[in-house]
Amino acid sequence: KKSFVIDGKQIARISLPKMLPLVLFEPQDLQLLNGSPELRRDFLDNLLAQTASGYDKTLKDYRRTLSQRNSLLKKGANIARTQLFAWDIRLSELGGQLAQSRHQLVKTIDAQMEGIYKKLSGRKNTINASYVSSISLEHYASQMLSKLEASRDLDLIRGFTAHGPHRDDLEILLDNYPAAQTASRGEVRTLVLALKIQELKLLEAERGKKPLLLLDDVFSELDGKRRQALTDFLKNYQTFITTTDADVVVQHFMDKATIIPVSVTKS
């Protein structure tokens, strides 16, 4: 079993207030915009779990209830029909709580995204973030319950639940077009970095601590102005950066950083 020693006391689990907040950027994060919706849902859920009280428990309860409902759907219509209504009510209650929390977070992202993107890129683009769902965000829980009841026969055929926050998405628009379809590689990287900076600032505001930044190959496909703008954002935070571009390090960090060269030998 894993255990920790803090101030001479052994504990089995570290509570969230005692954890150092952390923001990670790695090349795989570029899939955040054009990859599976699950990646975007996880981004919202992970951030809310660290900043919204009780969200993590609600999310776990929702996933457990969803799993129970899906198991019931696979047992056949005769068994499922007599028990589904109770699960539908509970799933809708929890789903409404998740969706409203996510929606509020996306509204915050939408309000700040354009300004951060402009500082990073030096360009005046229109950036919008929206929470996308097949269920109306007004009275989400009751609307979800109606959807579950209406799609019950199809759910029984498919064997899974087709409506709820586990199917919702975060959409980013660049100049009123879906960024996942129209943004260049440099624009995608800048948009993802803007999301990560918002994650950083939200964590700092809610947790009262400056997060530690871990950035892997962050400067690729960024021009000189964007690199400088990103450097300005990073200067007030402890940051670990890995890069194969030594010129970037020399130009932007030599006077204020500890640089550790790493060589790889092939045998």
Coordinates of all heavy atoms in Angstrom, one line a residue, residues 11 84 103 110 137 167 171 178 239:
I11 N 0.5 9.2 6.6 CA -0.9 9.3 6.2 C -1.1 8.4 5.0 O -0.2 8.2 4.2 CB -1.4 10.7 5.9 CG1 -0.6 11.4 4.9 CG2 -1.5 11.5 7.2 CD1 -1.1 12.7 4.4
L84 N -36.0 0.7 -14.8 CA -35.3 1.8 -15.4 C -35.8 3.2 -14.8 O -34.9 4.1 -14.7 CB -35.5 1.8 -16.9 CG -34.5 0.9 -17.7 CD1 -34.9 0.8 -19.1 CD2 -33.1 1.4 -17.5
H103 N -21.2 24.0 -17.6 CA -21.7 25.2 -18.3 C -21.1 26.5 -17.8 O -20.7 27.4 -18.5 CB -23.2 25.2 -18.4 CG -23.8 26.3 -19.1 ND1 -23.5 26.7 -20.4 CD2 -24.7 27.3 -18.7 CE1 -24.2 27.8 -20.8 NE2 -24.9 28.1 -19.8
D110 N -15.1 31.1 -22.0 CA -15.5 31.9 -23.1 C -15.2 33.4 -22.9 O -14.8 34.1 -23.8 CB -17.0 31.7 -23.3 CG -17.5 32.6 -24.5 OD1 -17.0 32.4 -25.6 OD2 -18.4 33.4 -24.3
L137 N -30.0 23.3 -21.8 CA -29.3 23.6 -20.6 C -30.3 24.3 -19.6 O -30.0 24.3 -18.4 CB -28.1 24.6 -20.8 CG -26.9 23.9 -21.5 CD1 -25.9 24.9 -22.0 CD2 -26.3 22.9 -20.5
R167 N -22.2 12.5 -22.9 CA -22.3 12.6 -24.4 C -22.1 14.1 -24.8 O -22.1 14.4 -26.0 CB -23.6 12.1 -24.9 CG -24.0 10.7 -24.5 CD -23.2 9.7 -25.2 NE -23.6 9.5 -26.6 CZ -23.1 8.6 -27.4 NH1 -22.2 7.7 -26.9 NH2 -23.6 8.5 -28.6
E171 N -17.0 23.1 -27.4 CA -16.7 23.5 -28.8 C -16.0 24.9 -28.7 O -16.4 25.8 -28.1 CB -17.9 23.6 -29.7 CG -17.6 23.9 -31.1 CD -18.8 24.0 -32.0 OE1 -19.8 24.7 -31.7 OE2 -18.8 23.2 -33.0
P178 N -15.6 26.2 -36.5 CA -15.1 25.3 -35.5 C -13.6 25.2 -35.7 O -13.1 24.8 -36.7 CB -15.8 23.9 -35.9 CG -17.0 24.4 -36.6 CD -16.7 25.6 -37.3
T239 N 8.4 26.7 -13.4 CA 8.1 26.0 -14.6 C 9.2 25.0 -15.0 O 10.4 25.4 -14.9 CB 7.9 26.9 -15.8 OG1 6.9 27.9 -15.4 CG2 7.4 26.2 -17.0

